[in-house]
Amino acid sequence: MSIWINEGTKVVVQGITGSQGTFHAIRMAEYGTDIVGGVTPGKGGQEIELPGRVVPVFNEMSEAITTTGAVASVIYVPARFAAPAITEAADAFHELNGEGLVICITEGIPTLDMVRVISHLEKTPGVRLIGPNCPGIITPGDNGGCKIGIMPGHIHAKGRIGIISKSGTLTYEAVAQTMSVGEGQTTCVGIGGDPVNGTGFIECLEAFEKDSETQAVVMIGEIGGNAEQDAAEWAKDNFSKPIVGFVAGATAPPGKRMGHAGAIISGGKGTAEEKFAAFEDAGIYIARDPSKIGEALVTALVDAGLRDS
Amino acid sequence: MNIHEYQAKAIFRESGVPVQEGLHCTSVQQALSAYDSLGSKVVAVKSQIHAGGRGKGKLLSPKSGNLVMEGGVKVAFSRDEVEEYSSKILGNNLVTKQTGPSGKIVNNLYIESGCEIAHEYYLALLVDRESDSLLIMGSTEGGVDIEEVAETNPKAIHKQRFYPSEGLGIDKASSMAISLGLSGKSHDLFVEMALNLSSLFIERDCSMIEINPLVRSSDDRIIALDAKVSFDESATFRHPWRDELRDISEESEVEVRANEFGLSYVDLDGNIGCLVNGAGLAMATMDVIKMYGGEPANFLDIGGGANSESITAAFEIIIEDPNIEGILVNIFGGIIRCDMVARSIIEASNQTGLKVPLVVRFSGTNHKEGRKVLEESELNVVTVGTLGDAGEAIVSALGGSEE
């Protein structure tokens, strides 16, 4: 088991004819992801050669879903076209399937576009958005697995740890940490570091709570906002599995945007210290150095009787 | 992207948000003719820099560091005072709560007609990340530090949420006016102003508008006495007019240069330079340096599309910081291959004549190859396996923790 995606998930790539789209479609197919087609307006009828298969390009999402039976889409289109691409996918999945998963990798989407998108998604219940500005989602399998995004597939292995993270490379760091103590992953979700985005920590925790294979979760936050505090508060009463937490940005100066659009301490709020304190208060195992996530995970698993040492 | 108050007020004027008459000046002479043409006996002489807290700031001589004048915003009651204040402001260094100790040289002035104030309010518009909506925030406690009000008297801050598709709307604008205790003429003028302000926020892709104070005048008009506007940089592609408002002299030269190479750079006060891929990992790298007793000199994310050229540029930017005593490179290869980074490091080190200790940590794609490239090179470099080891190694290379 895993959350939201598995080895059978059929995926359409929006922006597949662009350089990023083609590059990552090939990497995803290599990993074992079932890429069934692509969408680029005006390029319908073309074909794209991927490892082991040739997939069709469609003009519209609805056509792609009807023809291929896709249940998920991943977006690699440039920032200025990304918001319409998300709403098009959400509308098509909602209308045709009543549900769907839209993963937006694109960085630099205007914030007000995202405010419009999020309020639009209220009209498409059943459709889940992950991102934008995120590495995507991956469920490692027995042979390859399902990778929808830009993460290096080879660092992952199937296992029992769920990972949720606001940051890209720090997610990989967390994955490597689980591997360093002999643990694999059920699903890793990069939720992205933008101030206005789709799926948040709590929704991921909810899904991991229900997933019988996930036995512990690693949660990676960063400065800005209070999503981490809210998630910790929620987990207190609603999450039964051990969590290991890290927050990046303890040394970040206030008022400065640290790379991610959302990573900013404003008005003295959203500091790493505040978030670590909320984690501690919720009984979350803390790693203050990302290279100690593995160690903290072992302690958490041992305490829960899920590992001997 | 931030703009000056005088620029923000020009936008306000154009958008139907009432402001006093005012003129932008860059010399004492211009300030005096501005005073003459405004025809107001009392004017405000306002320093224009991209930072708040100007009124309570200190003007220091950039050469001697001596205090020239208290306060970067002055009310002048005569032509002589305009002359005195402008000459004490222009060319001097304004240090405020928000500029940091180094302050900012004031090159621009705004001379604005005075008005008789009956009450000062606070008003702000921003994107609320908790509710994924827009937020208008108002308080009857204007003219003071709003963060303090939020801390001591949160009930004095009134909020209304709205969406870009619908705009603020008369009902919410009116509720805000009523919360601020406005009635009659000032209520109606507030509603009109708030609607225009929210439209301008949406049309121009702002990330924040702050008016502190917004005032009710003795004749019951609503006037924005201050204006702080910042724009969402991700939306610049659809607002070419912003080019003209950009004041490069207000931005950090090195941060601007870094951006040109696709690098995300923030200057800090320490002595250990960092070069990292990914924003979260770059922050974590700084945190780990600090944890082992060192001080990071910068935040630097080389981004997912880094190449040999941008890595060389990143190295140059780090090395030209005179405080640098060591460099930590932390790469988790995904799309970026560690061996490519290794070759770029060698090239950049040769070009820049690297003289400080260098610690490199590679993980992910081609990390073994990357390490091998470095180890076989002439470069004086320590390679390590984890971020914790990297933090420890660079701090000990600099002689250990200062504590």
Side-chain angles (χ1 to χ4, degrees), chain B residues 107-233:
Chain B
N107 299 314
N108 296 281
L109 267 185
Y110 190 56
I111 309 290
E112 188 178 59
S113 299
C115 81
E116 271 190 53
I117 299 170
H119 193 89
E120 295 188 330
Y121 305 88
Y122 172 90
L123 194 73
L125 271 84
L126 49 108
V127 178
D128 179 33
R129 55 197 291 174
E130 313 312 335
S131 62
D132 298 328
S133 66
L134 303 182
L135 188 65
I136 184 166
M137 257 170 40
S139 169
T140 50
E141 299 191 24
V144 295
D145 189 350
I146 196 67
E147 269 113 33
E148 222 173 278
V149 179
E151 200 69 41
T152 56
N153 189 11
K155 280 198 182 137
I157 298 178
H158 308 280
K159 294 176 181 176
Q160 292 286 341
R161 295 194 161 77
F162 63 102
Y163 290 92
S165 48
E166 298 143 16
L168 176 62
I170 290 179
D171 291 350
K172 288 176 182 173
S174 172
S175 302
M176 179 57 79
I178 292 164
S179 307
L180 297 178
L182 299 168
S183 59
K185 180 184 164 195
S186 62
H187 168 281
D188 297 349
L189 288 173
F190 177 91
V191 169
E192 194 188 335
M193 182 276 309
L195 292 174
N196 290 338
L197 194 67
S198 56
S199 306
L200 118 75
F201 187 97
I202 296 163
E203 280 159 17
R204 296 190 184 243
D205 274 294
C206 296
S207 52
M208 189 168 88
I209 297 181
E210 196 179 33
I211 306 175
N212 192 17
L214 174 80
V215 304
R216 179 163 55 83
S217 64
S218 50
D219 56 351
D220 239 13
R221 288 178 301 135
I222 297 290
I223 302 160
L225 269 203
D226 193 19
K228 201 169 159 191
V229 172
S230 52
F231 299 121
D232 174 11
E233 278 170 52

Side-chain angles (χ1 to χ4, degrees), chain A residues 84-95:
Chain A
I86 298 172
T87 42
E88 187 200 340
D91 287 344
F93 278 127
H94 177 69
E95 226 161 86

Side-chain angles (χ1 to χ4, degrees), chain B residues 241-274:
Chain B
W241 49 267
R242 285 183 188 174
D243 273 358
E244 283 177 30
L245 301 183
R246 193 164 174 200
D247 183 354
I248 296 278
S249 72
E250 287 286 331
E251 299 173 30
S252 147
E253 181 271 326
V254 47
E255 285 172 24
V256 171
R257 186 147 47 94
N259 279 337
E260 282 163 13
F261 285 95
L263 310 166
S264 179
Y265 178 93
V266 177
D267 201 16
L268 301 170
D269 296 330
N271 56 0
I272 298 174
C274 314

Side-chain angles (χ1 to χ4, degrees), chain A residues 21-22 37 53 82 110 115 140 147 152 160 166 177 186 202 214 220 225 228-229 237 241 245 263 274 291 294 307:
Chain A
T22 309
R53 65 174 70 183
V115 173
K147 157 180 137 144
R160 56 176 174 169
K166 270 186 178 175
Q177 280 293 303
T186 48
I202 295 178
T214 301
I220 310 285
E228 290 83 355
Q229 296 89 314
D237 300 322
K241 307 170 185 184
E274 229 175 279
S291 2
R307 197 174 151 142

Side-chain angles (χ1 to χ4, degrees), chain A residues 109-155:
Chain A
I109 301 178
T111 308
L112 289 186
D113 285 8
M114 280 315 300
V115 173
R116 290 185 184 95
V117 165
I118 300 296
S119 94
H120 182 88
L121 292 183
E122 280 175 22
K123 296 176 208 145
T124 61
V127 175
R128 168 174 303 287
L129 170 67
I130 295 177
N133 190 15
C134 76
I137 176 170
I138 183 169
T139 291
D142 293 315
N143 299 300
C146 182
K147 157 180 137 144
I148 313 182
I150 57 173
M151 63 287 275
H154 64 88
I155 64 169

